[in-house]
Amino acid sequence: MTSKPKVAFFDFAGCEGDQLEIINLEERLLDLVEVVEVVSFREAMSEHSDDYEIAFVEGSITTPHDVERLEEVRSNADTVIAIGSCAAFGGINSIRNEQDFETVTERAYGEDAAMFDDPDAELFDSFEQAQPAKAFVEVEYEVPGCPIDGEEFIQTVTAILQGGDPSLANHPVCVDCKLAENTCAFDRGEICLGPITRGGGCDATCVSQGTRCWGCRGLVDNPAEDAYSEVLQEYGVTTDELLNEFTLYWSWQREHGPQADMQEAEQ
Amino acid sequence: MSQDIDIEGELVTRVEGHGEIVVNATDGQLEECEWHVVESPRFFESMVVGRDWDEIHHIVSRICGICSVTHTMTGLKAVEDAMDVELSEQDVKLRKLALAGETLQSHVLHLGYLALPDLVGAKSVVPMANTHEEEVKTVIRLHKLGNELIETVAGRSTHAQRTIPGGFSQLPREAELRDLRASLEGSWNDVETVVDLVLSLADELPEFTRETEFISLTDPDGYALYDGVPYSSDTGELDLADYREIVNEHVVEQSTAKFTKHDRDSYMVGALARFNNNYEQLGPMATAVADRFGLKPICHNPYLNNVAQLVETAHLIEHSIELIDSLLESGLEAQSDYHKPDVDVTAGQGVGAIEAPRGILFHEYALDETGTALEGNCVIPTNQNHANIQLDMERLVPTIIERPQEEIEHTLEMLVRAYDPCISCSTHYLDVEFVDT
């Protein structure tokens, strides 16, 4: 019998909601630990080992210390998988990328914001931008979403273990929305990012719950921009309204493109 | 015998977020004893600026995965306060139900997955699946029940969608609520199993007492979770509008740390604070659990926050059943599956407070006349506990300093875990540095 593949989980700047979604798999998580050996999962375990083949990383990279940790993970693992939108493409954390950093620190820390200029205050050595893991190291696969979908996570892990291809779907959320027989959010007067957001893992849950697509799974690889702008024109959406939507999850992606190459981003 | 101790900044495991314990002693003389928080800042107060009133809750939900419902709803309460939006009685009950679900899943997650391994001497819940199979399955069932509560009411358990300004975009069906009620009624055996297990291990919880102040919400109409006004065990009722004067975020002399303090040098928030302040309003099942542990207010042992969470677990099940009964009795008033409550967008400043699983949470926003956020402020429960953790460590360490280093480390880790710190929640952290006592 071959030994079980060793997997490890690591978190950076984020809400840890993706690891929570994995814990929320409950009994199915117990099934999963039948086929893999979890050697590191700080949120749930005291054990830790640097001997692992598959590493899952959650959260954005925001400090030089994060980069050191991430590079160490990369050098230990054969396969690195970004889980959640913050790790995959910056996500909500990247809202601040569009804001002036000095203003950002002042708003959060008031008069103590000077700490961010103090070279001795190591904990405050923060990058001006929140960036995904792939801005610094090679990332083999992504499970996007805010939070991730537990089912999609299991499919990804299963595909990797079976030597298959865990590539993401590349159709817009609109396809899932039609399958769910939802009333179009535009028809309800909402601005919806469904037409250009990657579907295939969320079942258009937000629209199904009565709201709209916020774009949490990132842009599809080749967004049908012309068709989308026609829709926007038809419903009278202004450029300002749209730009505001684009800066919710996509600030990093907008700058670097939906298929932003590894290492391309500024460190 | 005097020993050298060097416990140096290993990340504490089985807590949410990143924190470190640092203790140094030479020849039995304590030189350093610090609780460090090393979470990367995320700047939510800045991220909300310029965003619309109807997306603020969506953003602040991402402060914390484990208590995302609470952050969402506290954000909503603050925005609704700013624009004088009144909720229907039905919507308030539904929000209370979703909140009960989140606190239930959070308490069970902490007790069962994070704290219990300490008591049975395991490194995590994973080996417990072999040594305590039935108990682990019981914990899983209870954890799922909490998540089902949230999913039924708010749509999904993490970063819920249906909770929006003015009410809900979509309602659960009455049949779903009836199913949920049956599951809640059917969970008492599971609660009993966990109570029995924790009770059999209760001797493992250290005897340690340091008198402190407890702050929570309080509400004449019931055990305060969603509604109420701030209350201090030292000074009584407080005004929510003055929340900045309650928490007094400040920098301590000779340190870069931002702490909170009210009547004393520190205070505690969370399950034990709620238990101490509102004990009389617990349901009968919850009171019975407390009795089995001999837990009475006012309890000053922070390790018993674990037991207070267990007491609240029983209370939350009772409370949820009551809420469902009350909703079903009046019958759910129907609305569209894509409901958007009427909200008059106005300029204003609003504060919201809710008892998150880990304690009182404050959000405040200022909005302009288009409902765009001009500024935001969030005071997180875990932030409010840091000074208390630090002072507990300073009192505790000298009393155990002759013990083996591993035991000291373990006792301190258990202390930190007892507070159930949710460190990634923090929107702003400064390095916690204390001078020696």
Side-chain angles (χ1 to χ4, degrees):
Chain A
M1 196 184 114
T2 52
S3 63
K4 294 194 269 187
K6 298 186 182 72
V7 304
F9 292 84
F10 300 92
D11 40 58
F12 297 89
C15 74
E16 303 189 15
D18 304 307
Q19 289 175 85
L20 182 66
E21 285 302 286
I22 293 166
I23 291 172
N24 284 347
L25 289 167
E26 313 284 5
E27 297 96 338
R28 302 188 63 192
L29 189 57
L30 293 182
D31 295 340
L32 195 64
V33 297
E34 295 288 314
V35 290
V36 297
E37 185 185 347
V38 181
V39 301
S40 195
F41 194 156
R42 190 199 50 78
E43 198 181 37
M45 296 168 55
S46 288
E47 302 96 323
H48 170 75
S49 160
D50 289 324
D51 177 20
Y52 46 85
E53 285 96 42
I54 302 172
F56 294 96
V57 297
E58 171 173 6
S60 307
I61 308 304
T62 65
T63 69
H65 182 60
D66 285 349
V67 178
E68 279 170 39
R69 281 177 61 221
L70 180 65
E71 284 172 347
E72 195 187 322
V73 169
R74 175 69 271 185
S75 67
N76 289 334
D78 298 333
T79 308
V80 173
I81 302 163
I83 54 169
S85 303
C86 294
F89 55 86
I92 282 271
N93 282 327
S94 67
I95 290 179
R96 72 168 154 102
N97 293 7
E98 312 263 338
Q99 303 175 341
D100 169 61
F101 189 62
E102 207 170 304
T103 313
V104 168
T105 57
E106 275 171 19
R107 283 176 185 154
Y109 288 84
E111 61 192 26
D112 301 314
M115 298 296 297
F116 288 89
D117 297 324
D118 181 353
D120 294 330
E122 256 182 63
L123 292 177
F124 294 88
D125 195 356
S126 180
F127 294 145
E128 297 195 357
Q129 302 220 326
Q131 300 188 62
K134 66 184 172 190
F136 299 93
V137 300
E138 187 179 354
V139 172
E140 276 82 6
Y141 304 110
E142 291 173 5
V143 184
C146 190
I148 58 164
D149 179 75
E151 199 56 48
E152 194 174 31
F153 171 78
I154 288 188
Q155 285 167 8
T156 304
V157 175
T158 310
I160 292 169
L161 293 179
Q162 294 174 341
D165 176 16
S167 296
L168 296 170
N170 194 24
H171 61 252
V173 168
C174 287
V175 173
D176 305 287
C177 215
K178 290 218 163 55
L179 285 172
E181 300 182 351
N182 288 322
T183 303
C184 178
F186 280 104
D187 285 339
R188 296 185 273 116
E190 303 281 353
I191 300 171
C192 184
L193 295 182
I196 51 172
T197 297
R198 187 188 300 280
C202 66
D203 296 328
T205 181
C206 296
V207 187
S208 300
Q209 307 288 341
T211 62
R212 59 196 169 102
C213 176
W214 308 75
C216 84
R217 289 172 56 80
L219 281 158
V220 282
D221 286 346
N222 300 297
E225 283 161 3
D226 292 347
Y228 190 49
S229 45
E230 276 171 31
V231 174
L232 296 173
Q233 258 174 12
E234 187 186 330
Y235 290 95
V237 178
T238 68
T239 315
D240 277 356
E241 284 172 328
L242 196 65
L243 281 179
N244 192 49
E245 294 304 314
F246 276 27
T247 55
L248 194 56
Y249 284 91
W250 297 349
S251 291
W252 189 88
Q253 260 192 334
R254 247 167 29 106
E255 195 177 334
H256 300 276
Q259 301 175 79
D261 204 6
M262 322 298 174
Q263 324 285 356
E264 187 189 290
E266 285 291 314
Q267 295 210 355
Chain B
M1 192 193 80
S2 296
Q3 62 173 344
D4 293 348
I5 296 168
D6 180 18
I7 299 171
E8 189 63 62
E10 280 285 308
L11 283 177
V12 178
T13 55
R14 280 182 280 131
V15 298
E16 232 260 337
H18 306 89
E20 295 174 349
I21 292 164
V22 178
V23 176
N24 283 303
T26 308
D27 286 340
Q29 282 298 105
L30 185 62
E31 288 165 349
E32 200 181 15
C33 172
E34 291 172 3
W35 165 234
H36 285 212
V37 175
V38 296
E39 190 74 15
S40 303
R42 293 177 64 209
F43 310 107
F44 274 93
E45 280 101 339
S46 182
M47 280 154 64
V48 295
V49 174
R51 310 304 308 197
D52 291 336
W53 61 279
D54 59 357
E55 57 183 10
I56 292 171
H57 64 283
H58 182 98
I59 295 169
V60 295
S61 175
R62 272 73 187 172
I63 291 174
C64 173
I66 293 191
C67 42
S68 63
V69 172
T70 317
H71 277 288
T72 300
M73 296 201 302
T74 311
L76 289 170
K77 271 182 103 173
V79 166
E80 287 157 358
D81 182 47
M83 305 200 298
D84 289 324
V85 178
E86 285 285 331
L87 256 67
S88 72
E89 236 177 81
Q90 173 173 300
D91 287 340
V92 171
K93 282 177 194 164
L94 286 168
R95 281 199 188 166
K96 286 180 175 179
L97 193 53
L99 179 64
E102 175 159 276
T103 306
L104 177 62
Q105 76 82 20
S106 176
H107 280 2
V108 174
L109 177 79
H110 177 245
L111 280 168
Y113 296 175
L114 311 182
L116 212 49
D118 279 332
L119 302 183
V120 302
K123 295 276 189 192
S124 79
V125 75
V126 177
M128 284 178 62
N130 295 321
T131 57
H132 296 74
E133 191 184 345
E134 271 317 303
E135 287 87 347
V136 169
K137 284 185 176 164
T138 306
V139 165
I140 286 176
R141 275 196 300 274
L142 281 173
H143 188 242
K144 263 171 92 164
L145 178 61
N147 277 337
E148 277 164 21
L149 253 169
I150 311 172
E151 282 157 21
T152 305
V153 179
R156 66 175 177 187
S157 59
T158 306
H159 304 320
Q161 280 297 304
R162 291 183 187 166
T163 38
I164 58 174
F168 283 80
S169 63
Q170 208 169 83
L171 298 181
R173 290 191 298 278
E174 289 187 2
E176 290 176 316
L177 291 180
R178 274 192 288 273
D179 288 349
L180 203 50
R181 191 192 189 285
S183 304
L184 288 160
E185 280 291 358
S187 70
W188 287 118
N189 277 344
D190 287 348
V191 174
E192 208 58 32
T193 303
V194 178
V195 168
D196 287 342
L197 177 64
V198 176
L199 196 58
S200 73
L201 299 164
D203 288 348
E204 304 291 325
L205 291 168
E207 295 256 355
F208 166 72
T209 294
R210 185 183 68 83
E211 211 176 286
T212 192
E213 179 184 6
F214 295 95
I215 294 183
S216 71
L217 290 174
T218 196
D219 179 7
D221 296 332
Y223 193 82
L225 295 165
Y226 180 82
D227 277 329
V229 295
Y231 177 89
S232 152
S233 58
D234 280 356
T235 66
E237 280 190 20
L238 303 158
D239 192 351
L240 176 58
D242 297 334
Y243 81 97
R244 285 174 196 260
E245 274 84 62
I246 298 172
V247 302
N248 294 298
E249 285 190 302
H250 66 289
V251 173
V252 178
E253 195 183 336
Q254 289 176 284
S255 99
T256 56
K258 214 174 197 179
F259 294 143
T260 62
K261 70 171 184 179
H262 180 245
D263 191 48
R264 311 180 187 217
D265 289 336
S266 73
Y267 62 83
M268 182 172 180
V269 300
L272 190 60
R274 293 189 289 260
F275 175 89
N276 281 334
N277 288 350
N278 299 314
Y279 170 81
E280 299 296 333
Q281 293 165 307
L282 284 166
M285 298 297 261
T287 310
V289 173
D291 286 347
R292 289 192 64 191
F293 286 88
L295 188 66
K296 291 261 179 242
I298 282 182
C299 166
H300 286 284
N301 180 352
Y303 287 96
L304 293 185
N305 192 46
N306 290 302
V307 176
Q309 287 184 331
L310 193 52
V311 171
E312 284 195 338
T313 298
H315 177 79
L316 290 160
I317 292 170
E318 293 179 275
H319 176 55
S320 301
I321 292 172
E322 269 176 28
L323 284 167
I324 292 174
D325 284 346
S326 154
L327 284 160
L328 290 175
E329 200 184 314
S330 47
L332 280 187
E333 197 176 322
Q335 64 178 41
S336 133
D337 270 353
Y338 306 100
H339 183 62
K340 199 161 189 187
D342 283 330
V343 171
D344 281 331
V345 176
T346 57
Q349 183 122 5
V351 184
I354 290 185
E355 280 293 331
R358 290 157 191 78
I360 191 165
L361 167 68
F362 302 96
H363 282 211
E364 180 182 19
Y365 304 103
L367 308 173
D368 72 10
E369 65 282 358
T370 66
T372 304
L374 299 168
E375 54 183 310
N377 189 35
C378 308
V379 183
I380 310 296
T382 296
N383 249 358
Q384 299 172 68
N385 274 334
H386 282 312
N388 217 59
I389 293 176
Q390 175 66 37
L391 292 184
D392 280 352
M393 274 176 59
E394 289 174 26
R395 177 73 64 85
L396 177 60
V397 171
T399 69
I400 57 173
I401 199 152
E402 297 300 331
R403 297 187 194 170
Q405 177 166 326
E406 260 179 42
E407 195 181 324
I408 297 173
E409 202 168 343
H410 183 63
T411 307
L412 293 178
E413 282 187 6
M414 277 178 73
L415 174 73
V416 170
R417 266 183 221 123
Y419 280 84
D420 190 7
C422 188
I423 303 165
S424 63
C425 260
S426 164
T427 51
H428 46 224
Y429 269 114
L430 302 182
D431 184 10
V432 182
E433 286 280 347
F434 266 82
V435 291
D436 296 350
T437 48

